């Protein structure tokens, strides 16, 4: 009975942390909603770029595939939040498609087609050529980590701008905090039995990235200028989610 209790406690702790991670990740996926509401209201995408959301579609798709029981067992919470994220990204891209120019629409379709072909190829190779969850987890986990890390380090350009301008105007505090908490939460989830190295790698980097953003904010927030451009910010992407798992999502 004592042995069973020791086995149950980590499972409960992992589920609790994973649920908290789902809530934070949901918030990150939902964060661009005001931006797209502005697009619908103005009936124009103006200078808005769909690139982060196109990238997040592929990122979420790989984590959904990774969370499948026949790829990586005991990852239902990874599967659920990235499924939700995938729906969000398609809604955002649909709104963009409706109000974009013909050139913008073509860009979205071409990139989504390329992603679909690439994803389908990986799924086919994984299911037909790789047998057993260990091999499948290795391949899909590495690919998922690559895309997740790319999304987590994408704010580096914003960080460079903060250092250069000595202003945090383009790095919202709450988004940085959410990214840090998201990375920290999924890192903790990965460390609890059963250990998940693939979730750990990308989200560990995400937690560090979020912490660096917060440190920069602490250093330069006193230099923050008046919010003259608040209206303009409503039509600027608030950042890359994370996922996803993340992010984003970042995860």
């Amino acid at each position: 009975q004592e042995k069973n209790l020791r086995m149950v406690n980590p499972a409960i702790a992992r589920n609790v942390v994973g649920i908290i991670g789902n809530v934070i990740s949901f918030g990150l996926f939902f964060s661009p909603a005001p931006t797209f509401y502005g697009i619908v209201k103005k009936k124009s995408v103006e200078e808005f770029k769909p690139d982060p959301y196109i990238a997040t579609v592929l990122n979420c798709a790989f984590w959904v595939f990774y969370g499948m029981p026949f790829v990586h067992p005991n990852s239902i919470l990874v599967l659920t939040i990235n499924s939700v994220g995938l729906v969000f990204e398609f809604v955002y891209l649909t709104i963009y498609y409706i109000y974009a120019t013909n050139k913008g629409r073509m860009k979205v379709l071409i990139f989504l087609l390329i992603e679909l072909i690439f994803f389908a190829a990986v799924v086919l190779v994984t299911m037909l050529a790789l047998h057993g969850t260990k091999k499948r987890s290795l391949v899909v986990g590495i690919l998922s980590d690559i895309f997740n890390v790319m999304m987590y380090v994408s704010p580096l350009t914003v960080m460079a701008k903060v250092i250069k301008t000595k202003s945090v105007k383009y790095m919202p505090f709450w988004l940085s905090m959410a990214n840090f908490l998201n990375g920290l939460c999924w890192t903790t989830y990965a460390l609890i039995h059963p250990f998940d190295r693939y979730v750990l790698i990308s989200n560990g980097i995400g937690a560090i990235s979020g912490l660096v953003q917060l440190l920069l904010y602490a250093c330069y927030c006193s230099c923050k200028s008046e919010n003259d451009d608040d209206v303009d910010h409503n039509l600027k992407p608030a950042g890359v989610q994370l996922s996803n798992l993340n992010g984003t999502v970042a995860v």
Side-chain angles (χ1 to χ4, degrees), residues 2 11-12 14 22-23 27 50 56 59 76 85-86 89 118 126 133 168 188 215 233-234 237 240 245 247:
E2 189 177 336
I12 293 174
R14 193 174 196 259
N22 269 241
V23 172
T56 307
N59 186 52
I76 187 67
L86 202 55
E89 302 313 311
F118 177 62
T126 302
T133 55
V168 293
T188 305
L215 290 173
H233 291 343
N234 290 333
V240 180
L245 211 45

Side-chain angles (χ1 to χ4, degrees), residues 14 63 66-68 71-79 137-138 140-142 144-145 186-204 245-246 251:
R14 193 174 196 259
W63 282 111
Y66 176 83
M68 294 291 181
V71 176
H72 194 85
N74 304 312
S75 300
I76 187 67
L77 291 171
V78 174
L79 171 64
S137 294
L138 175 65
V140 181
I142 289 173
S144 299
D145 270 345
W186 285 108
T187 297
T188 305
Y189 170 89
L191 289 170
I192 302 173
H193 181 79
F195 176 72
D196 193 327
R197 73 189 70 181
Y198 305 109
V199 172
L200 174 64
I201 291 170
S202 57
N203 287 283
L245 211 45
N246 312 193
V251 241

Side-chain angles (χ1 to χ4, degrees), residues 139-150:
V139 172
V140 181
I142 289 173
L143 286 171
S144 299
D145 270 345
I146 289 170
F147 291 115
N148 220 27
V149 168
M150 286 170 62

Side-chain angles (χ1 to χ4, degrees), residues 28-90:
L28 285 172
F29 283 129
F30 186 74
S31 62
T35 297
F36 286 90
Y37 175 74
I39 288 174
V40 172
K41 199 172 179 182
K42 289 197 169 187
K43 297 187 179 347
S44 171
V45 297
E46 298 186 334
E47 297 301 315
F48 181 80
K49 303 294 182 187
D51 305 26
Y53 306 93
I54 294 173
T56 307
V57 165
L58 189 61
N59 186 52
C60 286
F62 270 109
W63 282 111
V64 167
F65 186 44
Y66 176 83
M68 294 291 181
F70 48 79
V71 176
H72 194 85
N74 304 312
S75 300
I76 187 67
L77 291 171
V78 174
L79 171 64
T80 53
I81 189 56
N82 284 284
S83 299
V84 170
L86 202 55
V87 172
F88 268 107
E89 302 313 311
F90 276 122

